């Protein structure tokens, strides 16, 4: 089945193959809110051959930053990024899980030094186990899953 659920965009970024239900989190990562001026469209629970159901986010005029890509990879490891220029796909790539993230995840261990008053950014090592993505704190060794719950 090929159908266009939301219009094509002229210039900007399309984030495709987001796990169903995660598009709103992707908007949050991109800093999109009620003050945003750009045209943004989002499709939730779209039928997908590969994924069963998926979400899509399209933002006109957005040129995605490295840190945003890393955050999206943590919560949507199979997402595809399409950079659009003049209605054509100029570049298409899959997000890549970073090996280490700094200042992106909050350690749930209250005793962890990254949660002290010291100005120490959290550092986590990203690992996978099959389809599951997890992270291990550099400072206290705490392991976390469901990384969406720990995004700073
Ligand atoms: N797209 C868009 N505006 C454009 C061009 C493409 O919004 N000017 C969107 C399409 O609607 C689709 C995504 O970008 O959601 C990728 O487009 P395309 O590669 O043509 O689709 P597929 O072949 O289905 O992508 P994939 O192979 O990555 O599944």
């Amino acid at each position: 089945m090929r159908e266009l659920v939301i219009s094509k965009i002229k210039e900007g970024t399309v984030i495709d193959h987001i796990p169903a239900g995660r598009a709103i989190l992707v908007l949050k990562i991109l800093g999109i809110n009620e003050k945003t001026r750009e045209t943004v469209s989002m499709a939730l629970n779209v039928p997908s051959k590969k994924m069963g159901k998926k979400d899509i986010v399209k933002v006109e005029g957005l040129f995605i930053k490295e840190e945003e890509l890393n955050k999206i990879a943590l919560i949507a490891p199979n997402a595809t990024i399409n950079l659009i220029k003049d209605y054509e796909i100029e570049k298409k790539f899959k997000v890549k899980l970073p090996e280490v993230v700094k200042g992106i995840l909050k350690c749930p261990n209250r005793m962890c030094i990254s949660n002290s008053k010291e100005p120490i950014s959290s550092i986590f090592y990203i690992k996978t186990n099959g389809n599951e993505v997890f992270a291990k704190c550099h400072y206290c060794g705490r392991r976390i899953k469901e990384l969406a719950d720990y995004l700073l």
Side-chain angles (χ1 to χ4, degrees), residues 2-11 13-17 41 48 50 54 56-60 80-90 92-93:
R2 290 281 296 152
E3 65 178 328
L4 203 58
V5 281
I6 33 178
S7 311
K8 294 207 163 195
I9 63 171
K10 181 164 190 286
E11 198 149 285
T13 304
V14 174
I15 303 152
D16 198 355
H17 307 118
S41 42
S48 153
K50 278 184 247 172
K54 67 172 182 180
I56 309 169
V57 167
K58 303 188 181 189
V59 191
E60 287 278 2
T80 309
I81 309 294
N82 298 274
L83 304 180
I84 315 290
K85 271 247 169 83
D86 226 351
Y87 289 103
E88 301 289 335
I89 298 175
E90 199 180 55
K92 183 196 282 280
F93 56 93

Side-chain angles (χ1 to χ4, degrees), residues 54-122:
K54 67 172 182 180
D55 289 357
I56 309 169
V57 167
K58 303 188 181 189
V59 191
E60 287 278 2
L62 171 80
F63 298 97
I64 204 160
K65 299 188 197 77
E66 186 75 26
E67 181 175 312
E68 294 165 339
L69 280 176
N70 282 342
K71 287 186 178 177
I72 291 169
L74 296 181
I75 59 127
N78 296 312
T80 309
I81 309 294
N82 298 274
L83 304 180
I84 315 290
K85 271 247 169 83
D86 226 351
Y87 289 103
E88 301 289 335
I89 298 175
E90 199 180 55
K91 211 170 160 201
K92 183 196 282 280
F93 56 93
K94 265 186 81 166
V95 293
K96 205 169 146 270
L97 272 177
E99 281 174 23
V100 185
V101 290
K102 201 169 170 205
I104 282 182
L105 294 168
K106 181 173 169 59
C107 185
N109 174 7
R110 284 199 294 148
M111 302 303 284
C112 179
I113 192 163
S114 65
N115 288 320
S116 69
K117 288 203 181 71
E118 306 297 324
I120 297 174
S121 294
S122 73

